[in-house]
Amino acid sequence: MSLTGMRDISIISTPPADRQAIISYISTYEDSIVKDAIKRELSRKGQIFFVHNNIKTISKTAQNLEKLVPKANFGVAHGRLSENDLETVMFKFVNFEIDVLVCTTIIESGLDIPSANTMIINKAERFGLSQIYQLRGRIGRGDHQAYAYLFISDESRLTKDAKKRLSALMEYKDLGSGFQIAMKDLQIRGAGTALGASQSGHIAAVGYDMFLKLLDQAVHDLKGEEIIEPLEPEINAAMSSGFADDYIESVEQRLTLYRRLSRITKISDISDMKKELMDRYGQLPKPAENMLLKIMLRVYCIQAGVRRLDITPNTLTLVFSEKHRKKPLDSLNNALKGLVLFEFIKKDSIRIHLGRKRNNISKALLETRNILKAIT
């Protein structure tokens, strides 16, 4: 909703005073590392989260840890405990009666325990990127340095996405990196059905570009904002234009070129496009040249505020857009004086006589170009 303009977006990139970035490690599971991590935290009177997201084996994991560090007090917390049992365990942890809380992802939000500054996540490759980021956010909430240990299975067995997730966590480890993490997560997992029928209606029925235009217009309407639609001039000229099948065989390539041409806003881009076409497909046939001429007229029309252009070998009719016209129509007298003969046929339209009678529209196009340049 923020990307489409429906909601404003704000990024909290400045951490609270004295807050330090969490130091993270990734390695395969080793009892010696776990033992050292727990002992180091206990030596500075801190507490530890050990995240093991499997309820069936969580009790056995807690027993193994007790054997590893007998002096520490352990507790188990997961979603299948009764409300009273879970509350009891959490109160004991908050009151320092438990040193190591062996838990599932039940702790990933809503906890603020400044004394817990070490987190060990078992089988980290099974967690989502945002989920690990949330879990890691449960530590380092005071002014003490926090440590996160992400234990993974054999690295050779990791999927590509799992490697990307872990790599992102190590890359964006500074405070205030939540937005970058979220964007990376979107990149890895994809947008799902954000543009599908279940969330955005039937985009295919109108096309993606039209959908974005309609959505943008609806957002402005809801905000009560008046928007001026970009000028899309109508060029009417009796000549064949386009890319023939025998010039560009691929339908996809032709559609791509038409789309690129429709977005051109500079005259210099037209000459670049001509060079590219000649380099890729050879000498331009007449219809292709006419297509580029039409695009050139379109660019000049946009600059002059002309919403419709009708051209024949002998006459040129220009219909101006009041919203897009930069100069008053009175200025046309000075711009066209001595250049051509013209007359107003409506308050927003003029008809220009293009000299002698002739059957060739090519010279009329060149004359039209000069006229549009003069009134821009």
Side-chain angles (χ1 to χ4, degrees), residues 46-66:
Q47 294 172 287
I48 303 98
F49 289 115
F50 188 101
V51 181
H52 180 85
N53 204 33
N54 189 328
I55 295 176
K56 292 181 179 180
T57 58
I58 194 169
S59 296
K60 184 177 180 181
T61 300
Q63 291 172 5
N64 292 336
L65 291 172
E66 285 180 2

Side-chain angles (χ1 to χ4, degrees), residues 27-29 33-34 120-125 149-152:
S27 73
T28 54
Y29 185 92
I33 298 177
V34 174
I120 301 169
I121 301 178
N122 195 22
K123 298 187 184 299
E125 74 276 4
Y149 297 83
L150 310 179
F151 288 120
I152 59 175

Side-chain angles (χ1 to χ4, degrees), residues 4 9 15 17 31 83 86 113 127 150-151 170 180 194 226 266-267 274 292 305 307 317 320 325 356:
T4 56
I9 187 167
D31 283 340
E83 186 177 341
L86 185 58
I113 304 176
F127 293 81
L150 310 179
F151 288 120
M170 299 307 291
Q180 286 84 357
E226 183 181 358
K266 297 179 181 178
I267 297 298
K274 184 175 181 178
L292 296 181
R307 64 181 174 85
T317 303
F320 292 87
R325 193 179 65 245
R356 299 176 181 178

Side-chain angles (χ1 to χ4, degrees), residues 238-275:
M239 59 182 185
S240 176
S241 61
F243 300 118
D245 296 356
D246 56 353
Y247 183 61
I248 301 176
E249 296 181 1
S250 170
V251 176
E252 290 79 8
Q253 290 181 22
R254 289 202 302 272
L255 290 173
T256 300
L257 288 170
Y258 285 134
R259 190 179 297 113
R260 287 176 58 190
L261 286 170
S262 69
R263 294 172 179 169
I264 285 179
T265 57
K266 297 179 181 178
I267 297 298
S268 58
D269 292 340
I270 299 175
S271 58
D272 292 341
M273 176 68 80
K274 184 175 181 178
K275 291 177 183 177

Side-chain angles (χ1 to χ4, degrees), residues 15-25 44 117 133 136-137 139-148 169-177:
D18 300 325
R19 186 70 62 86
Q20 301 181 54
I22 300 168
I23 297 176
S24 302
Y25 301 99
R44 60 176 186 170
N117 288 300
Y133 184 76
R136 195 170 60 176
I139 59 175
R141 303 185 68 82
D143 56 359
H144 290 82
Q145 180 64 63
Y147 299 90
L169 285 167
M170 299 307 291
E171 181 180 356
Y172 302 110
K173 56 189 176 182
D174 295 332
L175 293 170
S177 301

Side-chain angles (χ1 to χ4, degrees), residues 174-355:
D174 295 332
L175 293 170
S177 301
F179 186 73
Q180 286 84 357
I181 288 282
M183 293 304 290
K184 193 69 177 180
D185 193 30
L186 178 66
Q187 180 184 340
I188 294 171
R189 294 195 299 165
T193 58
L195 298 177
S198 61
Q199 290 192 40
S200 299
H202 298 282
I203 292 179
V206 295
Y208 182 63
D209 286 342
M210 178 60 71
F211 169 78
L212 291 181
K213 289 181 181 178
L214 293 171
L215 181 61
D216 186 56
Q217 183 178 344
V219 170
H220 283 289
D221 288 343
L222 289 171
K223 290 181 176 180
E225 298 174 352
E226 183 181 358
I227 57 170
I228 299 177
E229 293 288 337
L231 184 59
E232 291 294 340
E234 178 185 345
I235 310 293
N236 297 312
M239 59 182 185
S240 176
S241 61
F243 300 118
D245 296 356
D246 56 353
Y247 183 61
I248 301 176
E249 296 181 1
S250 170
V251 176
E252 290 79 8
Q253 290 181 22
R254 289 202 302 272
L255 290 173
T256 300
L257 288 170
Y258 285 134
R259 190 179 297 113
R260 287 176 58 190
L261 286 170
S262 69
R263 294 172 179 169
I264 285 179
T265 57
K266 297 179 181 178
I267 297 298
S268 58
D269 292 340
I270 299 175
S271 58
D272 292 341
M273 176 68 80
K274 184 175 181 178
K275 291 177 183 177
E276 180 184 336
L277 288 171
M278 293 178 66
D279 184 56
R280 292 176 64 182
Y281 306 106
Q283 187 65 36
L284 271 68
K286 194 63 178 177
E289 289 185 352
N290 291 340
M291 185 70 199
L292 296 181
L293 281 172
K294 273 193 171 183
I295 297 300
M296 177 192 67
L297 294 178
R298 175 183 174 275
V299 173
Y300 280 126
C301 282
I302 292 174
Q303 293 174 356
V306 175
R307 64 181 174 85
R308 178 174 171 177
L309 182 150
D310 297 327
I311 183 172
T312 68
N314 302 297
T315 61
L316 170 66
T317 303
L318 301 177
V319 181
F320 292 87
S321 170
E322 186 177 348
K323 292 182 178 179
H324 299 89
R325 193 179 65 245
K326 297 177 182 178
K327 297 180 181 179
L329 288 180
D330 296 342
S331 65
L332 291 177
N333 290 313
N334 295 327
L336 298 178
K337 188 176 181 180
L339 184 64
V340 290
L341 295 175
F342 72 95
E343 59 182 336
F344 282 92
I345 54 177
K346 290 182 181 179
K347 66 176 183 179
D348 61 350
S349 307
I350 63 171
R351 180 182 292 124
I352 300 173
H353 301 281
L354 300 177

